[in-house]
Amino acid sequence: MAERYDPRVTAARPDLAARYLEGKVTATRFADGVEREVLEPQAPVRATPAPDAPLVTEVLCGERVTVYETTDEGWSWGQLVSDGYVGWLPANALGEQGAAPTHKVAALRTLVFPAPSIKHPPLAGLPLGARVAVQRVEAEFAVQKSGYVPARHLASLDASERDFVAVAERFVGAPYLWGGKTSLGIDCSGLVQVSLTAAGIGCPRDSDMQEEAIGSLIDAGHDFSRVRRGDLMFWKGHVAIVVDDKTIVHANAFHMATVRESLAEAVKRIRATGADVCSVKRIAGA
């Protein structure tokens, strides 16, 4: 029996697949792929090559994407190096790899200026987690290829936040966006992934992947008396982060925002829609 692969993280279509999958999947042809760098502050990854196609995730400035095909219509099909997600990106959001990133954005969002002065109109805004290659520091600004970024908004690539829950709480008030990963719009699993990544903890993209791959089971969804800060609470298709034994923080479509919410009220409200908590997972060292 042929092994089954999750299409979300498997670079394979009937007509094209990644070379590393040759002999494992069936495809008309296989390609080695070319690694590209994300040039935009954030770029959409869509299910199909169309601007109105569903957003499945986002990729941030400075991240790498292995591209296996670019169409004449300006779409690139590839796989994100960070979490393996596969989808279609606007080709003009990608470019040849530049200098290796040295720093990442540690602020919720920072601005890129054309000169080392806050009086100039900013050129762009970079989200938390975006990566940049700093050439030098000038007048408290970090100089990188697209302009000047406040140096205090950056951290070295190996720096880790001590409390990923505090990172998640910084997103409170951000609008809910299916597939989003920034303060301009974020979804439940995106909030978990971005926050854990900031703390140096690897994390897959979607909530079902997260439930399966990370943490140890604390509860099967019946008794929440043992929950503590940093536990992840899963429903089918949803995940929340425990702030304390009475509060969670999560991005959700009911509020259309990232909110702090009473744990008891959230469980009751979601249960009224027919969904109960599936599990509570605890991440070692979080």
Side-chain angles (χ1 to χ4, degrees), residues 9-214:
V9 290
T10 306
R13 308 181 333 226
D15 62 322
L16 176 63
R19 181 78 63 191
Y20 71 86
L21 292 170
E22 195 165 6
K24 300 178 181 179
V25 301
T26 301
T28 304
R29 64 187 179 93
F30 293 85
D32 292 321
V34 178
E35 199 161 290
R36 292 287 183 252
E37 179 179 341
V38 179
L39 305 178
E40 298 295 322
Q42 70 258 3
V45 181
R46 300 195 181 277
T48 59
D52 58 351
L55 180 70
V56 294
T57 189
E58 290 181 311
V59 64
L60 308 182
C61 182
E63 291 194 74
R64 271 38 177 181
V65 180
T66 304
V67 174
Y68 296 101
E69 178 187 34
T70 297
T71 69
D72 292 338
E73 291 76 26
W75 290 93
S76 290
W77 182 71
Q79 186 166 31
L80 311 190
V81 172
S82 59
D83 61 16
Y85 223 92
V86 174
W88 292 91
L89 301 87
N92 60 9
L94 305 174
E96 292 189 6
Q97 292 186 76
T102 59
H103 292 72
K104 60 186 176 182
V105 175
L108 196 60
R109 183 164 289 271
T110 193
L111 298 175
V112 181
F113 295 92
S117 170
I118 61 173
K119 296 182 179 181
H120 290 271
L123 302 171
L126 297 177
L128 176 72
R131 299 182 164 214
V132 297
V134 174
Q135 300 165 4
R136 64 185 186 278
V137 175
E138 180 180 325
E140 298 185 351
F141 283 85
V143 184
Q144 43 91 45
K145 67 179 180 180
S146 61
Y148 295 76
V149 177
R152 60 172 46 90
H153 283 177
L154 301 179
S156 62
L157 288 183
D158 59 358
S160 296
E161 295 280 354
R162 291 186 177 182
D163 181 4
F164 86 92
V165 182
V167 178
E169 290 181 293
R170 289 159 61 187
F171 283 88
V172 168
Y176 178 83
L177 174 65
W178 182 277
K181 287 180 59 174
T182 79
S183 61
L184 297 181
I186 197 165
D187 65 12
C188 65
S189 56
L191 181 67
V192 170
Q193 187 186 50
V194 168
S195 301
L196 283 175
T197 299
I201 301 171
C203 179
R205 177 59 178 90
D206 293 342
S207 61
D208 63 319
M209 298 173 174
Q210 294 168 354
E211 184 178 17
E212 180 179 354
I214 59 177

Side-chain angles (χ1 to χ4, degrees), residues 191-241:
L191 181 67
V192 170
Q193 187 186 50
V194 168
S195 301
L196 283 175
T197 299
I201 301 171
C203 179
R205 177 59 178 90
D206 293 342
S207 61
D208 63 319
M209 298 173 174
Q210 294 168 354
E211 184 178 17
E212 180 179 354
I214 59 177
S216 56
L217 184 66
I218 296 302
D219 187 80
H222 307 294
D223 176 17
F224 309 128
S225 61
R226 296 177 57 205
V227 300
R228 72 183 190 197
R229 186 177 180 86
D231 288 347
L232 301 181
M233 184 170 287
F234 293 93
W235 291 259
K236 183 177 181 180
H238 186 58
V239 60
I241 302 169

